[in-house]
Every structure is written in C-alpha cells, then in structure tokens.
Amino acid sequence: MAEHEEQSGGIPPLDEEAAWAAIVAGYGQEPPDPPGSRPFRPIENLLLPEEDVKPLPPEPGPDAEPEPPAAPAPALGSSVVFAPGVGMAGPRDHSLSEPDDEDPAAAEEGHFVQPEPELPPADTTAKFAWLAVVGGPVLLLLAVLLQWDMTWWLTTLGIGGFLGGFATLIARMQHGDDEDDDPGRGAVV
C-alpha cells in the first residue's frame, strides 16, 4: 500500500496493514465482555443461584447503632400527574353490583330475551315450487346413481320441474315498489 501522509491536526494516519493483521489474527475469537457485564447463562441454568450474588451484611452487635431506614424508591410512573378529580381507579377496576334476591323484577331488569322469529305462512304454490326446485335435480341424481334409463319423461320431469319451480319463485317475489315504506322520513315512532 502507499504511504499516507500525516493528516492535518497532528493525528497520525491509520496503519491499515496493522489493522488488517489484528483483524485476521483475532478471527474466530469471541471479543471480551464489556466491564461490569455478567456472563451469559444458558436457559437450563437460569433457575440455579448465581455465583456473584453478594452475601448478606453481617448482623450488627448490641453496641452498634441501628441505621436509619432508607427512603422507599419512588413507584414506577410516580411522576404522572392526573387531572383534579381523576382517581387511580381505571375502567378495568369496575365490578358489577350484585342483584337483590328480594325483588325478582329487579333481577330480570335489563335482561333481554330475543323472541323466536315467526316465519310467514307458506302457501301451497310456494311449497310446490320449492319441491320442484329441489326435487328435479335430486330425481336426476338418483337416476344417474341408480343407473336408470334416462327416458324423455324422466329428463323432462327433472329439468322442467327445476326450471318451472325456479320461475314460479322468482315471479312470486315481492317487488321493491311498495308505497307503504317511505325511506326519506327517517325513524317513525
């Protein structure tokens, strides 16, 4: 490598050859721990007592003066100042009050039981239309699984029943042209 000149400010140049030689010589070695750090302990030894635990101070004799108790360390977050009127209790500290067993009406207050929905009564035409929509494909599936001869009446009954029942259900659907409902008026009490 070329010789480097001394940099301004009186700092000698870095000897690159010596730096690379130190790196190559120390390759594969673990660097020393920083001062004051504790050595790594594998997980199997975490529950074992540490070797560098300081022993308890010796008990003072009867003629020694007792030391004054040290001031307690401030609690974590003790520098937080709350607004006036805000206590230390939070929303997770809330507990429900127990209901009175004397008044059964008060115990049931606030308990909502959803009623069973009432289905509208189906008329005969709708029942037969649903039977045709479901029964047509089931009839064709049975014919294939049981290896029946696919005659013209079986095919017509399966495909025609499905298409006729589907068309009947679509034709009988309620249209959205009801004059009874006026969505522009908002909630009606």
Side-chain angles (χ1 to χ4, degrees), residues 6-177:
E6 189 172 316
Q7 299 175 354
S8 64
I11 302 173
L14 177 67
D15 186 12
E16 291 183 17
E17 295 289 330
W20 279 109
I23 291 173
V24 170
Y27 183 74
Q29 296 176 359
E30 186 174 333
D33 291 331
S37 67
R38 295 169 43 185
F40 172 76
R41 295 176 61 192
I43 194 166
E44 294 84 17
N45 298 340
L46 285 180
L47 293 178
L48 297 176
E50 297 183 17
E51 293 83 20
D52 60 349
V53 175
K54 296 178 184 174
L56 293 174
E59 293 185 16
D63 57 342
E65 273 185 37
E67 293 183 15
L76 184 64
S78 63
S79 63
V80 177
V81 178
F82 292 101
V86 176
M88 294 303 288
R92 294 186 179 179
D93 297 330
H94 176 74
S95 61
L96 296 174
S97 61
E98 296 295 323
D100 294 334
D101 293 335
E102 299 168 2
D103 188 13
E108 291 296 321
E109 181 180 333
H111 182 69
F112 176 74
V113 178
Q114 183 174 354
E116 289 292 324
E118 296 180 14
L119 296 176
D123 57 344
T124 308
T125 307
K127 288 179 183 177
F128 276 111
W130 277 111
L131 179 68
V133 166
V134 174
V138 169
L139 180 67
L140 291 177
L141 184 65
L142 278 174
V144 170
L145 291 176
L146 298 177
Q147 298 179 352
W148 292 343
D149 289 335
M150 200 61 76
T151 58
W152 67 271
W153 63 270
L154 186 63
T155 307
T156 304
L157 192 61
I159 296 173
F162 173 76
L163 292 176
F166 185 74
T168 303
L169 289 175
I170 295 296
R172 292 176 50 92
M173 283 178 58
Q174 293 181 353
H175 301 288
D177 300 340

